[in-house]
Amino acid sequence: MIRMLQRGAFRALVGATYLFLLAPLACVVLVSFNGEAVQSFPPASWSLRWYAHAWAQESFRGGLLVSTLLACGAALIATPLAVAAALGLHRSRWRGRPALEALLLAPLVVPGIVIGISLLIALAALDVREAPLRLLIGHTVAILPYGVRTVLASLARLDPALDEAAETLGAGGWARFRHVTLPLIRPGILAGLVFGLILSFDDVSVSLFLADARTNTLPLAIMSYLEYSFDPSVAAISSMLIAVTLGLAVLLERGFGLKRLLAG
Amino acid sequence: MAHLQLDGIGRRYGHFQAVDSVSIEAGPGEFLTLLGPSGCGKTTTLRIVAGLVEPSTGRVLLDGRDVTRLGAAQRGIGMVFQSLALFPHMTVAQNVAFGLRMRRVAAGEAAGRVRRMLEVVRLGHLAERYPSQLSGGQQQRVALARALVIEPSILILDEPFGALDRKLREAMQVELRRITRELGITSLFVTHDQEEALLLSDLIAVMNGGRIEQCGTPREVFERPATPFVADFMGVTNILEGRFVAGNEAGRIAAAGALLPAPPGCALPDGAPVRLGIRPERIALRPAAGPGPAEGALAGEVVEAIYHGSNSSYRIALPSGGTLTAVRPNGQEEGQEAPLFAVGQPVLAAWEAGAATLI
């Protein structure tokens, strides 16, 4: 009897947690189909017009393109760098290794705003003025530690004897990396890549300082749109992002098993 | 088949001398075992032979060729690791084929060699499985096949059976012996298990504190341990310090307040200090008839009696201060029930002259 009560209470708690996490998303999706001119909940009438309206906004379309290119570019640059850095850290027996690791992981704990301001100052000093390049550098720096972390975690779980076994079997350094280490840390690399994509896509604080009037990311475009209008087109664009993210998650799960990736 | 020779190998880690001037040899086709407790330097020595650790001093010679500065990838040595180190993302066949792939052996020939090697280790039917789908003993055999398929000059094994349960370990030991004899390959084996070493080896080198204490055939090391450490490690746990007393025929040994028979064939000057070693299972016990010592036996008192089933072990305190350990079989013996002794009981411990060794 008590056990049944306990189980019931546990289920209720789990249910409440999911509700708390997912209810806002459900609200946004519902509101996006609102037919009225202001966001209201529950919607009084239904329509797809805000999707059309959102799509018609030049700033959203431009922002989506910039954000997508930026996320892909930054993730593709940061991931190989992260693999190289993690491999170096993992193999190093140098005394300064912990300090170097802390330095590489620092952007993880430094507030995004601070990274943004520092990059603004540093890039201005280096005379890098093109917003796309500044954004690409900024996002690469901001997402690098996530890649380093996930790759380091999967390296730590490798049996060091695997590398030695490959060596005694005649494999040189590159062959050992290519045939043994790389396949075994691939889940960690992919996890870092996916984290990087998502973090870059949804970053505001770093982009805020590095974007300019002609090159704006989607989150920044949404923010500036919200300053002047509060119509459901923002909800519409959010719903589209939710759909894309869900699709990506399903694809990853089908392809590699998302749980395994995140556990890495 | 190759001739392996270590010449004055040493390895320091900071102030710690892990391996200290080790010189040993294994002839073509011989099975050499490095035996010793953990931390005795046996694994470091093995890794130096494999090329995974560089020695601080000394040379490694294969068939007379100095390979000391050659990397592990160039040495052509087959190694079985303690953790086995099977590649988890490759099938059994791919694991075994790895070394051939690295040597750019043509795919057709490689497939044939992999198949034949899997037959040798009796795993032909599991070629397409992944290591995680195999039992411990099967994984062991994959590791062995992977090391052997490259036709290495020598095979080295780092405590490969440590993780197996007793029964499987024994089966694998027999299997390893069969395979190494069948292929006639020179082997270097590392273990802390003296029984395993005795069963497998042509030559045993007992190591302690980075040095070799004794190197010899299993019989030599077992029957004539050269140092107290080797004696203790080979199960000669009773060691008595005494003096040789010359006399009629074999002479006697004065130790622990008694005159004991000396092992046959020892010719020492009168009064020479000796150490007498006796295995626990060679000591016979009988109830002490009365007070005072008996001729050729040690009187003592049982201070610990442990029943193990087929035998019992007793610790016997000697009046001279030391203790002896005796292991006696239980149950029927020559129609008579073997006696059990109780704690506190006075007993006489004796052994045949030939059962003791001078160390």
Side-chain angles (χ1 to χ4, degrees), chain B residues 20-289:
Chain B
D20 193 2
S21 49
V22 163
S23 297
I24 30 171
E25 268 185 68
E30 274 189 328
F31 197 112
L32 168 65
T33 294
L34 301 176
L35 173 67
S38 56
C40 73
K42 56 189 192 301
T43 294
T44 308
T45 308
L46 179 108
R47 291 170 64 83
I48 287 172
V49 175
L52 295 170
V53 171
E54 249 193 76
S56 318
T57 56
R59 298 184 305 157
V60 179
L61 299 143
L62 280 178
D63 278 334
R65 196 165 66 99
D66 189 340
V67 297
T68 318
R69 304 287 154 222
L70 228 50
Q74 277 79 47
R75 274 192 204 186
I77 281 175
M79 179 158 177
V80 177
F81 288 78
Q82 192 166 14
S83 64
L84 300 184
L86 296 178
F87 305 127
H89 58 298
M90 298 183 197
T91 62
V92 167
Q94 287 167 340
N95 262 283
V96 176
F98 187 82
L100 299 175
R101 219 168 122 205
M102 293 301 114
R103 283 168 170 69
R104 306 193 187 288
V105 172
E109 190 201 332
R113 279 167 71 177
V114 167
R115 200 171 339 105
R116 278 197 300 279
M117 191 47 70
L118 285 176
E119 291 307 325
V120 170
V121 298
R122 298 175 179 159
L123 278 183
H125 55 299
L126 298 177
E128 297 314 313
R129 296 269 186 94
Y130 283 89
S132 59
Q133 299 168 309
L134 302 181
S135 72
Q138 290 168 339
Q139 293 182 356
Q140 207 99 53
R141 284 186 265 179
V142 178
L144 198 56
R146 186 180 66 177
L148 286 170
V149 77
I150 59 172
E151 290 170 5
S153 50
I154 62 169
L155 172 68
I156 61 186
L157 307 103
D158 183 8
E159 304 216 25
F161 306 141
L164 301 182
D165 63 65
R166 194 189 169 84
K167 232 174 145 178
L168 193 53
R169 188 161 64 220
E170 280 166 10
M172 281 309 299
Q173 287 162 353
V174 171
E175 188 83 350
L176 176 63
R177 221 164 75 120
R178 174 183 71 81
I179 292 167
T180 53
R181 301 255 155 108
E182 217 169 274
L183 303 176
I185 188 165
T186 314
S187 310
L188 179 63
F189 188 82
V190 154
T191 185
H192 62 264
D193 181 338
Q194 49 123 335
E195 277 181 44
E196 189 166 274
L198 292 170
L199 180 139
L200 289 169
S201 319
D202 296 313
L203 270 179
I204 296 177
V206 184
M207 289 188 74
N208 182 31
R211 291 174 162 277
I212 292 185
E213 293 254 339
Q214 185 179 4
C215 185
T217 65
R219 268 195 83 172
E220 281 167 0
V221 174
F222 188 78
E223 291 175 12
R224 291 197 297 282
T227 67
F229 176 83
V230 177
D232 186 55
F233 207 78
M234 300 310 293
V236 184
T237 44
N238 298 306
I239 293 179
L240 299 169
E241 308 255 355
R243 284 184 180 285
F244 187 73
V245 181
N248 53 342
E249 296 152 47
R252 308 208 165 268
I253 285 162
L259 266 183
L260 303 166
C266 59
L268 289 163
D270 189 46
V274 290
R275 263 191 302 249
L276 196 63
I278 315 109
R279 291 178 189 282
E281 61 275 11
R282 303 299 290 271
I283 296 181
L285 295 178
R286 61 176 191 269

Side-chain angles (χ1 to χ4, degrees), chain A residues 6-248:
Chain A
Q6 276 176 344
R7 196 176 300 159
F10 180 69
R11 281 191 186 155
L13 184 67
V14 170
T17 309
Y18 273 109
L19 194 69
F20 181 73
L21 288 174
L22 297 177
L25 298 185
C27 280
V28 164
V29 175
L30 279 177
V31 167
S32 71
F33 294 110
N34 195 342
E36 308 299 311
V38 285
Q39 296 195 16
S40 62
F41 189 82
S45 62
W46 302 95
S47 149
L48 278 175
R49 68 177 173 125
W50 295 112
Y51 281 84
H53 187 259
W55 193 245
Q57 294 293 315
E58 194 58 47
S59 71
F60 286 169
R61 285 222 305 266
L64 182 65
L65 183 67
V66 168
S67 279
T68 308
L69 288 177
L70 189 56
C72 292
L76 287 179
I77 295 172
T79 304
L81 287 178
V83 172
L87 277 175
L89 280 174
H90 182 70
R91 285 179 193 165
S92 167
R93 296 285 165 269
W94 179 48
R95 263 192 302 153
R97 192 207 111 118
L100 189 63
E101 186 175 338
L103 192 72
L104 264 171
L105 297 181
L108 214 59
V109 283
V110 175
I113 296 217
V114 176
I115 297 177
I117 295 174
S118 337
L119 277 167
L120 180 65
I121 297 169
L123 293 176
L126 290 170
D127 211 27
V128 179
R129 306 212 174 277
E130 297 76 15
L133 184 58
R134 291 199 308 199
L135 281 169
L136 188 62
I137 295 173
H139 279 224
T140 303
V141 169
I143 66 176
L144 184 63
Y146 294 89
V148 174
R149 255 231 99 90
T150 51
V151 176
L152 266 182
S154 36
L155 279 172
R157 286 187 312 177
L158 276 193
D159 177 1
L162 288 173
D163 197 55
E164 294 178 343
E167 198 180 345
T168 61
L169 290 168
W174 171 249
R176 298 205 293 278
F177 175 71
R178 165 87 186 68
H179 298 297
V180 178
T181 311
L182 185 62
L184 293 173
I185 63 171
R186 189 170 286 145
I189 296 175
L190 281 172
L193 188 84
V194 172
F195 274 137
L197 277 173
I198 292 169
L199 286 166
S200 162
F201 196 84
D202 136 302
D203 171 80
V204 172
S205 48
V206 174
S207 313
L208 200 54
F209 296 93
L210 303 176
D212 66 11
R214 274 178 303 154
T215 314
N216 222 349
T217 67
L218 185 58
L220 291 183
I222 293 175
M223 268 180 54
S224 51
Y225 185 86
L226 274 175
E227 271 182 59
Y228 302 106
S229 31
F230 195 60
D231 63 48
S233 57
V234 171
I237 197 139
S238 305
S239 304
M240 288 193 264
L241 289 182
I242 292 171
V244 169
T245 314
L246 265 179
L248 202 66

